[in-house]
Amino acid sequence: MTTDQSASGGPRPTSRDARATNGPAPGGTDRQYRRDPGDKVRASAFDETDQGRATGSGPVDADRTARKRTSADDAPGKRAGTSADTAAGRTAAGKKASTGNGTDRDKAATGTAPGAGKKDEAGKKDEAGKKDEAGKKDEAGKKDEGGKTAGGDGAGADGGGMSDGKSAEGGSKPDGTPAEGESKPDPWAAFGPAPEPVPTWYGRLGRRVGRLLIHEWTLAAVASLALAVLMTWPTLRYPAHTLPQDYWDPSLQAWQMAWSGHILLTEPAQLWHANAFFPERWSFAFSDTLLGYAPAGMIGSGPEAALVRYNIMFVLAHALATFGAYVLARQLGASRTGAAVAGAAYTYAPWLLAQAGHLHVVSNGGIPLALAMLARGHGWSLRHGYRPERRHEGWVYAGWLVAAWQLSLGFGIGLPFAYVLAGIVLVAAVVWYAKRIFWRLKRPFGQRLFVADLIGGLIFAGVGVLMAIPYFTVTQLHPNAERTIDDIAVFSPPATGFVTAPAESLLWGGLHEGARSLLPWHPEMTLLPGFVLYALALGGLFFSVWKLRQRLLLLAGVLVAMALSMGTELFGGRFTYVPLFDHLPGWSGIRTPGRLMLWATLLLGLLAAGAVSAFAVRVREIYAERIPSWPSPWLRLATLVPLLLVIAEGTNTTPHPVVPAQPAAMRSVDGPLLVLPSGQNHDQPVMLWSTTRFQDIVNGGSGFTPRQLDDVRRVTMTFPDQTSVDYLRTLGVHNVLVLRDKIAGTPWEVSVDAPVDGLGITREEIGDVVVFRL
């Protein structure tokens, strides 16, 4: 195509293109005509100056010119009608655009107007499209500074234009109404698009809180807490007066929490030198300390506060165990229902009902929670394997911190957990490097993740070492505190213990009374995790979301844990428990091997979760295949049956006895003091009574009895006499309290009222307590 260079402003289409559309233009100039809806012929409204700036040829150049005009019209701060496009927009109602001198119409008809007939194909599109778009923009943007209408500057083809705010036929009327023949402006054109709403800070906070409240972990935590309150009821019915199971070991543990909170606020350096077992040192390490609950011990004072604190932590421990096992199962790849089964089975297994009086055993929720956090931080799950894109070092730090907190609750549960963690780290490292070296499989790990593991592992190990130092010191000072293999044999359960429930089980307690009578120490030998759990785990070996090798590994873990739980009962423990007892540091301090059943219960729960998850997947498939979908509610309810059965098997009849009230003398008499009668079960409530003032007391109860306390109990059987008084004075004891309501059938029933002349002591009555001041 040739171009016509005669017209000023650059190339334009030849007359051949014009003839193809509207025929030859007279006078050798290409003119284009079109008819509007009123069949009036009008000239092109292209601005002559815009046409003169064209640098190319053809439709592309014309389209570029049209875009320039549109951009100029839309530019803020400028008048919108600087081109004839604006004038063309003003004639959208059929009114002809008038120029400043009124001659443009004639020039367009005769072909003499500059720029007349210059429209090419792109110009036609522009002229056709500007009637609505550019015209409306002009109407919408007519108001300029001072309320003047845009479009007066250069609206005509020859440079003349309409004055601001005036119409082509003489302008608007004084009252602002449009002149005769002028189109009425669209009243909605003055409004721009609605601005994007900017939420306030409290609006954003509300949305975040709302999302948090409906998050899966929030719902799981709330459900775990509600289930814990229900399953441990009536623990919270009279929390200031009762304790679950009995008031012996729970009184000791209530004192432990109170002591750690009190001493860390007053004299942290004396943490391990408790007020009980006077004048012994390191007495706080005579049993598991529950040190991780020290923040709770800082709230309140006195026995009632200690009881309320214990009962609350007892319920929260059950909730944390359920939540932790749920999170672990979900992280490994189980469905929600399957994870709920794992959580309930782990927390409310029948054998744990016999441990209701041992808060340090019930407080095991940090184990699965820490494992879940570490697995998530490393981007690993049992079902999906290693996914490097899901790594997050923050979860790794959190996992190690939770593991360290779990260890601080006591070595009875924490020490096996520490060895399990060490084994996991060792196996993971070996597998990692074996795949890189032998399989040439290079998977990213990351320096930041390595640093997180290093720092977190050091924190965990540091807590373990700091906790272990006092215990090793105690074993050196008290050789009788160290366990022997004969002590382990006393508490080692036989194989029948795995199918025997404790007396606290609502379903099986009465039925298994005969089987329990055959066990030497049934509170630590009734290890039934639940027949429903056994059945679900067995089904999980054949029908599961886990792979076959994963199921076999879980089964192997269950068998190993059960074998260790039997202590010396399985082949004398020569191939199972005894090697650990002889070679692993600290393992000799574990007195009751049956508590290792905790690990078998967790692994059985994961096997059951795999089966229930596969069942839930199959239910969804069946539901998707059915038309219509009416069976859906029943199918979904069917997936809850295993969960309900597991919870039902965990129901209990745990007693909640009333704790003996604190004598008034314990609130007023200074220490060091001795309370008679003294014994393992008598002394633990005395420790609880001392939480008002924490005065030094000779009494104490723990996992072992120091020889000096044995001597005190033996010598004071004849108190008050000269021998016992002199002995107590050598120990530094200032006062002796004799409880009248506890001495029936004891030597003190007579001697408490015997004359004390010549002994150098005084006697007074404070309520039901006889106080001897030495």
Side-chain angles (χ1 to χ4, degrees), residues 469-482:
I469 291 175
Y471 288 93
F472 282 116
T473 304
V474 167
T475 57
Q476 293 175 359
L477 296 176
H478 305 276
N480 62 320
E482 191 170 1

mmCIF file of all heavy atoms in Angstrom, residues 469-482:
data_model
loop_
_atom_site.group_PDB
_atom_site.id
_atom_site.type_symbol
_atom_site.label_atom_id
_atom_site.label_comp_id
_atom_site.label_asym_id
_atom_site.label_seq_id
_atom_site.Cartn_x
_atom_site.Cartn_y
_atom_site.Cartn_z
ATOM 1 N N ILE A 469 21.661 -33.736 87.592
ATOM 2 C CA ILE A 469 22.693 -33.523 88.617
ATOM 3 C C ILE A 469 22.160 -33.743 90.026
ATOM 4 O O ILE A 469 22.776 -34.477 90.826
ATOM 5 C CB ILE A 469 23.312 -32.124 88.452
ATOM 6 C CG1 ILE A 469 24.147 -32.067 87.165
ATOM 7 C CG2 ILE A 469 24.162 -31.760 89.662
ATOM 8 C CD1 ILE A 469 24.692 -30.691 86.854
ATOM 9 N N PRO A 470 21.030 -33.154 90.413
ATOM 10 C CA PRO A 470 20.527 -33.412 91.769
ATOM 11 C C PRO A 470 20.203 -34.887 92.013
ATOM 12 O O PRO A 470 20.414 -35.385 93.133
ATOM 13 C CB PRO A 470 19.262 -32.546 91.844
ATOM 14 C CG PRO A 470 19.442 -31.502 90.810
ATOM 15 C CD PRO A 470 20.192 -32.176 89.709
ATOM 16 N N TYR A 471 19.704 -35.588 91.007
ATOM 17 C CA TYR A 471 19.345 -36.989 91.201
ATOM 18 C C TYR A 471 20.578 -37.863 91.374
ATOM 19 O O TYR A 471 20.584 -38.801 92.193
ATOM 20 C CB TYR A 471 18.490 -37.482 90.038
ATOM 21 C CG TYR A 471 17.099 -36.914 90.049
ATOM 22 C CD1 TYR A 471 16.775 -35.759 89.343
ATOM 23 C CD2 TYR A 471 16.094 -37.515 90.794
ATOM 24 C CE1 TYR A 471 15.504 -35.229 89.367
ATOM 25 C CE2 TYR A 471 14.809 -36.995 90.831
ATOM 26 C CZ TYR A 471 14.529 -35.845 90.112
ATOM 27 O OH TYR A 471 13.260 -35.321 90.157
ATOM 28 N N PHE A 472 21.629 -37.590 90.623
ATOM 29 C CA PHE A 472 22.868 -38.332 90.825
ATOM 30 C C PHE A 472 23.463 -38.022 92.199
ATOM 31 O O PHE A 472 24.044 -38.907 92.855
ATOM 32 C CB PHE A 472 23.871 -37.997 89.720
ATOM 33 C CG PHE A 472 23.590 -38.707 88.424
ATOM 34 C CD1 PHE A 472 23.249 -37.999 87.289
ATOM 35 C CD2 PHE A 472 23.663 -40.089 88.337
ATOM 36 C CE1 PHE A 472 22.986 -38.643 86.094
ATOM 37 C CE2 PHE A 472 23.412 -40.749 87.145
ATOM 38 C CZ PHE A 472 23.069 -40.029 86.020
ATOM 39 N N THR A 473 23.304 -36.777 92.633
ATOM 40 C CA THR A 473 23.780 -36.417 93.973
ATOM 41 C C THR A 473 23.009 -37.180 95.050
ATOM 42 O O THR A 473 23.589 -37.656 96.032
ATOM 43 C CB THR A 473 23.639 -34.908 94.194
ATOM 44 O OG1 THR A 473 24.334 -34.207 93.153
ATOM 45 C CG2 THR A 473 24.205 -34.506 95.539
ATOM 46 N N VAL A 474 21.710 -37.314 94.868
ATOM 47 C CA VAL A 474 20.886 -38.042 95.843
ATOM 48 C C VAL A 474 21.301 -39.508 95.906
ATOM 49 O O VAL A 474 21.383 -40.101 96.998
ATOM 50 C CB VAL A 474 19.395 -37.901 95.479
ATOM 51 C CG1 VAL A 474 18.547 -38.886 96.271
ATOM 52 C CG2 VAL A 474 18.921 -36.488 95.744
ATOM 53 N N THR A 475 21.572 -40.127 94.764
ATOM 54 C CA THR A 475 21.975 -41.538 94.777
ATOM 55 C C THR A 475 23.328 -41.722 95.452
ATOM 56 O O THR A 475 23.591 -42.789 96.046
ATOM 57 C CB THR A 475 22.044 -42.080 93.349
ATOM 58 O OG1 THR A 475 22.943 -41.288 92.563
ATOM 59 C CG2 THR A 475 20.664 -42.065 92.702
ATOM 60 N N GLN A 476 24.187 -40.708 95.396
ATOM 61 C CA GLN A 476 25.465 -40.793 96.098
ATOM 62 C C GLN A 476 25.290 -40.634 97.607
ATOM 63 O O GLN A 476 25.936 -41.329 98.401
ATOM 64 C CB GLN A 476 26.429 -39.734 95.560
ATOM 65 C CG GLN A 476 26.854 -39.966 94.125
ATOM 66 C CD GLN A 476 27.702 -38.829 93.587
ATOM 67 O OE1 GLN A 476 27.957 -37.845 94.277
ATOM 68 N NE2 GLN A 476 28.157 -38.961 92.344
ATOM 69 N N LEU A 477 24.395 -39.714 98.003
ATOM 70 C CA LEU A 477 24.168 -39.491 99.427
ATOM 71 C C LEU A 477 23.293 -40.574 100.040
ATOM 72 O O LEU A 477 23.397 -40.846 101.252
ATOM 73 C CB LEU A 477 23.512 -38.122 99.637
ATOM 74 C CG LEU A 477 24.350 -36.909 99.236
ATOM 75 C CD1 LEU A 477 23.522 -35.623 99.400
ATOM 76 C CD2 LEU A 477 25.626 -36.818 100.065
ATOM 77 N N HIS A 478 22.436 -41.180 99.234
ATOM 78 C CA HIS A 478 21.492 -42.182 99.731
ATOM 79 C C HIS A 478 21.568 -43.409 98.823
ATOM 80 O O HIS A 478 20.766 -43.539 97.873
ATOM 81 C CB HIS A 478 20.076 -41.623 99.761
ATOM 82 C CG HIS A 478 19.944 -40.348 100.539
ATOM 83 N ND1 HIS A 478 19.769 -40.316 101.906
ATOM 84 C CD2 HIS A 478 19.973 -39.052 100.132
ATOM 85 C CE1 HIS A 478 19.680 -39.067 102.314
ATOM 86 N NE2 HIS A 478 19.805 -38.284 101.253
ATOM 87 N N PRO A 479 22.476 -44.302 99.081
ATOM 88 C CA PRO A 479 22.610 -45.482 98.213
ATOM 89 C C PRO A 479 21.329 -46.304 98.122
ATOM 90 O O PRO A 479 21.098 -46.985 97.107
ATOM 91 C CB PRO A 479 23.741 -46.277 98.879
ATOM 92 C CG PRO A 479 24.514 -45.264 99.652
ATOM 93 C CD PRO A 479 23.508 -44.267 100.130
ATOM 94 N N ASN A 480 20.496 -46.244 99.152
ATOM 95 C CA ASN A 480 19.258 -47.023 99.101
ATOM 96 C C ASN A 480 18.248 -46.438 98.119
ATOM 97 O O ASN A 480 17.221 -47.073 97.835
ATOM 98 C CB ASN A 480 18.638 -47.110 100.494
ATOM 99 C CG ASN A 480 18.262 -45.744 101.042
ATOM 100 O OD1 ASN A 480 19.006 -44.772 100.868
ATOM 101 N ND2 ASN A 480 17.132 -45.651 101.716
ATOM 102 N N ALA A 481 18.511 -45.239 97.599
ATOM 103 C CA ALA A 481 17.612 -44.652 96.612
ATOM 104 C C ALA A 481 17.779 -45.284 95.241
ATOM 105 O O ALA A 481 16.863 -45.221 94.410
ATOM 106 C CB ALA A 481 17.860 -43.147 96.516
ATOM 107 N N GLU A 482 18.924 -45.901 94.975
ATOM 108 C CA GLU A 482 19.161 -46.504 93.664
ATOM 109 C C GLU A 482 18.461 -47.857 93.585
ATOM 110 O O GLU A 482 18.518 -48.666 94.525
ATOM 111 C CB GLU A 482 20.661 -46.669 93.427
ATOM 112 C CG GLU A 482 21.000 -47.041 92.003
ATOM 113 C CD GLU A 482 22.491 -46.955 91.745
ATOM 114 O OE1 GLU A 482 23.235 -46.625 92.686
ATOM 115 O OE2 GLU A 482 22.898 -47.209 90.602
#
